Amino acid sequence: MSRTLCFDFGNTRLKAALFQDAHMQEVMTLQNDEPATIVELINQTKPDRSVLSSVIDHHPEFETILSKSTRFHKLDHHSKLPFTTPVGKPETIGADRLALCAAAVHLFPKSHNLVVGLGTCITFNFINKYHEFLGGSISPGMEIRFRSLQEFTAKLPLIRKEWSFPLIGYDTKTNILSGVILGMAREIDGIIDLYKEKYGNFNVLLTGGDTPHFVSYLKNKIFADPDLLFKGLYAIGENNYT
């Protein structure tokens, strides 16, 4: 029996998931990445191993603390991955995208897979049946869209996401909700349709915190898992601990 802490440090949130062997037990949101916070989490969860995916400049002592307390691995382009990255500059690929691709290959091996990540940005990540991560695309996520409408106009307010709104907005708030959320849904469906024209059959995996709410707005059939990144991190860690 082993316990693993998987850390996902994104642009908006710092999160961690605790695994007991290969089974995810819980997901936690960290208030910050200060040493005291990490030490407290380690004392509470008592992990044997840890793995980190980070797209931010996290606290310089964070990795040192984990290395001293656990068998630690930081995900980057040097990690042993279950796929290849035949792109121009593999060192520029975000750790979060690598984790998502690893999860897709683990769940659906020898298949074309398109992983759509809903986060600060929307990422589209395509891994072919030969387990090659070919790349994809990046566009603004939901919060960026809401904030940009407020920041780059004179009078539009900052709207927070809600999941009950009409197609035809009847005031400023519902106009923005309809435009942002349905606009994102049609963008995702449109990208999926373009991939269908090129590759035919493939799996579509949707992940991110808003996944359970977002599924109903999409017309394409998808595999939805809000915690896909953590499962990919766990799988990568299994092949990289020293």
Side-chain angles (χ1 to χ4, degrees):
M1 299 283 285
S2 63
R3 295 166 72 84
T4 304
L5 269 178
C6 298
F7 293 91
D8 171 28
F9 282 11
N11 290 296
T12 304
R13 294 181 181 86
L14 310 179
K15 299 175 70 177
L18 177 64
F19 284 77
Q20 182 78 49
D21 292 331
H23 303 288
M24 194 171 73
Q25 302 295 306
E26 62 176 315
V27 176
M28 300 154 280
T29 299
L30 283 63
Q31 295 301 312
N32 55 61
D33 61 347
E34 293 295 320
T37 301
I38 305 307
V39 170
E40 181 181 0
L41 180 61
I42 290 173
N43 290 337
Q44 289 176 349
T45 58
K46 296 178 171 53
D48 305 293
R49 303 177 298 187
S50 60
V51 57
L52 167 67
S53 164
S54 177
V55 297
I56 63 171
D57 295 323
H58 51 270
H59 195 286
E61 292 185 33
F62 179 81
E63 295 177 36
T64 302
I65 293 171
L66 287 177
S67 296
K68 290 181 178 179
S69 305
T70 68
R71 296 172 63 193
F72 170 69
H73 179 72
K74 180 183 178 181
L75 173 58
D76 60 24
H77 68 286
H78 294 300
S79 301
K80 296 176 184 177
L81 301 169
F83 56 90
T84 59
T85 54
V87 296
K89 294 183 178 181
E91 68 275 10
T92 66
I93 302 172
D96 54 339
R97 301 181 76 182
L98 295 176
L100 293 179
C101 292
V105 170
H106 178 72
L107 290 171
F108 301 104
K110 298 182 180 179
S111 301
H112 291 322
N113 292 292
L114 176 64
V115 187
V116 184
L118 301 177
T120 303
C121 297
I122 307 172
T123 64
F124 298 87
N125 310 278
F126 190 75
I127 314 95
N128 67 19
K129 62 183 179 181
Y130 306 108
H131 295 178
E132 297 172 316
F133 174 39
L134 302 183
S137 53
I138 302 173
S139 68
M142 188 181 300
E143 294 302 323
I144 291 178
R145 297 179 194 220
F146 283 135
R147 291 202 331 251
S148 65
L149 287 173
Q150 188 265 332
E151 292 178 9
F152 293 102
T153 64
K155 295 184 178 181
L156 289 179
L158 177 61
I159 300 300
R160 301 297 181 186
K161 62 187 175 186
E162 295 181 15
W163 300 104
S164 179
F165 58 86
L167 170 63
I168 303 175
Y170 52 81
D171 58 12
T172 301
K173 178 180 177 180
T174 52
N175 271 267
I176 291 175
L177 286 170
S178 178
V180 169
I181 295 177
L182 293 184
M184 283 178 58
R186 292 302 170 263
E187 174 188 337
I188 293 170
D189 273 328
I191 295 295
I192 293 172
D193 289 342
L194 289 175
Y195 275 88
K196 284 181 178 179
E197 293 177 11
K198 186 174 180 65
Y199 290 100
N201 294 326
F202 57 92
N203 303 302
V204 181
L205 293 77
L206 182 71
T207 190
D210 290 325
T211 296
H213 301 286
F214 215 85
V215 169
S216 63
Y217 296 103
L218 299 174
K219 68 178 180 65
N220 280 286
K221 182 180 178 181
I222 61 169
F223 173 84
D225 186 343
D227 300 315
L228 194 66
L229 189 148
F230 284 124
K231 295 172 182 177
L233 269 180
Y234 180 86
I236 289 173
E238 288 294 285
N239 294 319
N240 284 275
Y241 295 119
T242 56

